[in-house]
Amino acid sequence: MQAMSMKKTSPVAPEKLLAFLLEPRSYPHRPHRVRLIQTHISYLLIAAPYVYKVKKPVNLGFLNFSTLENRRYFSERELLLNRRLCPSIYLEVVPISLTAGHLVFGFGAEVIEFAIKMRKLQDRYFLLRLLEHNRIRTKELDRIVSTLKAFYEKQTPPAEEVTEWGRIKRLKISTDENFRQTEAFIGCTISRPAFQTICSFTAGFYKRNVGLFNSRIRQKWIRDCHGDLHLEHIHMGPQALSIYDCIEFNDRFRYIDVASD
């Protein structure tokens, strides 16, 4: 990527950036319309035949997109990691620049944001949609299993940096963090008895299953996985199976037992 000017604080208000992203004339291929989908960490702009993904400047503890440098880094990580399971979908990371007071895709006087450019997948082939229409049989499940099996086996033997995250002391980093971050919501979205029950069950599960966790490590079942594998992240087109949108922002969320994936 070319050398560029990047400031920690964006000179462009979020409203101006969003207006630019929603304008069809902003895009080199001039789509007929642009549709916005928001998650808690990203803007997704559907501009057929492409999708542009822009990370929001947020810091949630388990991920940190608060600086432009971080958003660039994790955009490039997302591109690299997702090409493992769907190489033809993730195309490039495109800078968004401010030049003479106007925003443009590409390099300009000052880069103010980055977008991941992807091919748009046909809605009707997402696994959730297929399941809703009762179109999933053993053949389709075998196709998914075979793809994942080959993906996991490429990592044989898995690196020690990865397998260490199967140890209980490492697993507790994530579960303890989760309890700390959700404690503030006791009485709002979860009751105290429910919270305490989950904490107690988790601690007890670790104690009762030391041998199981150790055997999973010995058997090399801890791999660099997808980390967020669910129905909406699997696309079963007639020509290709695409498993996309893996975890890029925190490696320990991907370094897991294949059974967790």
Side-chain angles (χ1 to χ4, degrees), residues 33-216:
R33 69 186 185 106
V34 179
R35 181 164 59 93
L36 170 67
I37 298 174
Q38 288 198 57
T39 70
H40 60 298
I41 61 174
S42 300
Y43 297 117
L44 287 168
L45 291 308
I46 314 300
Y50 304 111
V51 175
Y52 288 74
K53 181 177 183 180
V54 176
K55 298 184 185 301
K56 294 180 179 179
V58 295
N59 184 346
L60 302 179
F62 59 87
L63 65 79
N64 184 355
F65 297 160
S66 60
T67 68
L68 182 59
E69 290 85 352
N70 280 6
R71 294 194 296 280
R72 174 192 182 187
Y73 172 76
F74 285 113
S75 293
E76 292 173 346
R77 285 287 286 165
E78 181 167 348
L79 190 79
L80 177 68
L81 290 168
N82 279 289
R83 281 177 171 174
R84 300 178 302 172
L85 279 165
C86 51
S88 65
I89 303 303
Y90 285 76
L91 301 176
E92 60 180 325
V93 175
V94 182
I96 299 173
S97 300
L98 184 65
T99 300
H102 298 286
L103 291 174
V104 294
F105 281 108
F107 293 101
E110 181 180 356
V111 173
I112 60 94
E113 202 49 85
F114 293 93
I116 303 165
K117 182 181 178 181
M118 300 169 281
R119 296 190 195 279
K120 184 184 181 301
L121 297 167
Q122 294 184 60
D123 293 341
R124 59 179 170 163
Y125 292 120
F126 285 106
L127 193 59
L128 181 60
R129 184 74 63 88
L130 293 173
L131 190 63
E132 289 172 344
H133 289 84
N134 196 30
R135 294 178 58 192
I136 298 298
R137 300 289 186 270
T138 302
K139 180 179 68 174
E140 286 74 30
L141 295 177
D142 286 345
R143 186 180 173 193
I144 296 169
V145 170
S146 297
T147 299
L148 289 171
K149 180 176 181 290
F151 170 59
Y152 299 139
E153 288 179 343
K154 283 182 180 179
Q155 303 171 40
T156 303
E160 184 177 351
E161 173 192 5
V162 174
T163 58
E164 281 296 302
W165 284 100
R167 301 195 181 281
I168 290 175
K169 66 178 181 180
R170 293 290 186 93
L171 292 168
K172 281 176 60 64
I173 292 174
S174 294
T175 54
D176 289 350
E177 176 186 71
N178 187 60
F179 291 136
R180 285 195 306 273
Q181 292 178 342
T182 55
E183 193 169 12
F185 299 95
I186 292 175
C188 178
T189 57
I190 188 171
S191 68
R192 184 166 294 279
F195 180 83
Q196 292 174 338
T197 298
I198 296 169
C199 291
S200 177
F201 178 85
T202 301
F205 189 87
Y206 285 142
K207 289 180 180 178
R208 292 190 302 272
N209 292 283
V210 173
L212 174 61
F213 283 112
N214 289 337
S215 70
R216 297 298 287 180

Side-chain angles (χ1 to χ4, degrees), residues 244-256:
Y244 71 104
D245 206 18
C246 78
I247 297 291
E248 88 289 347
F249 51 77
N250 196 323
D251 288 345
R252 63 181 157 95
F253 290 177
R254 288 195 329 277
Y255 297 168
I256 55 177

